[in-house]
Amino acid sequence: MTHYIYLVRHGEQQDAEHGVEDGPLSPRGRRQAEALADRLSGVPFDAVWHSPLQRTSETARYVAERMPAIEPQPHALLFDCVPTGITDETPAAYEPFFGAVTEAQIEAGRAQMADAAAEFLVRKAGEVHELLITHNFVISWFVREVLEAPEWRWMTLNQTHCGLTVIAQKPGRPWSLITHNDVAHLPVELRTGLPEELEVLV
């Protein structure tokens, strides 16, 4: 019996490019969420959790419309965050990113992701399917954690809006990465959210 966790980044946010911290999904974001909901409609989810922010809450609502038996729940450990600061191993190219990040934000992000790993990366009995609708950096940290990669490597992992990442654990085995940023359900025009140099490759 396997414990599956499906990790999804929220759909594209309206006016995100103008520096708005949170807001509703854009028309394209709604289409992304609908495509995701269709993709996941056959999965027998035991729980659906989402960040309390509006863009993640709306993405979860679209999923729930396709699967009325589930009831998405907000979870504070899925908020967007920065899980580490610069480490001794962090390449210099990433240093500018941290210029606008405070030590308090980093400390809070580190504590949040430690708690999130302790909360979610715990083997549950039987066949379990859980969906977490969250943010790019949170998913990156979960994947890094499962792969036991150096802390700074979360910065090299990116997810499209409504891309699908799946991790799983069988009894007696460590967590495994099943798929990362699967976008098969998204037509090319809906594949947004990656750095520009990567979007042309998916």
Side-chain angles (χ1 to χ4, degrees):
M1 306 295 279
T2 305
H3 181 185
Y4 294 95
I5 298 178
Y6 302 74
L7 298 160
V8 170
R9 185 182 181 188
H10 58 81
E12 182 185 72
Q13 178 186 327
Q14 183 77 39
D15 297 326
E17 68 273 16
H18 301 304
V20 178
E21 289 191 7
D22 191 28
L25 296 180
S26 68
R28 182 161 55 184
R30 292 193 290 272
R31 290 177 61 201
Q32 291 164 342
E34 290 169 350
L36 171 71
D38 288 340
R39 172 76 182 275
L40 297 176
S41 61
V43 180
F45 286 115
D46 299 281
V48 177
W49 305 98
H50 62 86
S51 157
L53 293 179
Q54 185 176 359
R55 57 191 184 270
T56 42
S57 299
E58 286 193 5
T59 304
R61 191 185 73 228
Y62 277 97
V63 172
E65 286 176 356
R66 295 294 199 279
M67 291 175 276
I70 66 171
E71 186 175 346
Q73 299 291 327
H75 202 301
L77 293 179
L78 299 178
F79 267 119
D80 203 5
C81 70
V82 177
T84 68
I86 297 175
T87 73
D88 293 338
E89 298 174 289
T90 305
Y94 292 104
E95 290 183 8
F97 168 83
F98 293 99
V101 182
T102 67
E103 287 297 323
Q105 288 173 318
I106 292 169
E107 183 177 343
R110 182 185 295 277
Q112 176 187 320
M113 292 317 300
D115 289 345
E119 174 85 10
F120 293 107
L121 295 182
V122 175
R123 180 78 174 94
K124 296 181 173 66
E127 186 87 3
V128 178
H129 297 265
E130 294 182 296
L131 173 61
L132 310 185
I133 300 174
T134 180
H135 303 273
N136 192 35
F137 294 165
V138 175
I139 297 170
S140 298
W141 186 260
F142 272 107
V143 173
R144 185 220 61 82
E145 188 84 10
V146 166
L147 296 178
E148 298 183 348
E151 283 193 350
W152 69 272
R153 294 292 293 183
W154 67 270
M155 299 194 70
T156 68
L157 298 165
N158 290 281
Q159 286 68 225
T160 59
H161 293 117
C162 287
L164 177 62
T165 293
V166 182
I167 58 177
Q169 186 182 47
K170 294 180 180 294
R173 300 185 185 181
W175 284 93
S176 299
L177 179 63
I178 304 302
T179 185
H180 176 248
N181 196 40
D182 183 348
V183 294
H185 52 291
L186 298 173
V188 173
E189 67 271 16
L190 295 185
R191 297 177 186 180
T192 62
L194 290 178
E196 290 183 4
E197 64 270 19
L198 296 179
E199 285 189 351
V200 298
L201 300 177
V202 298

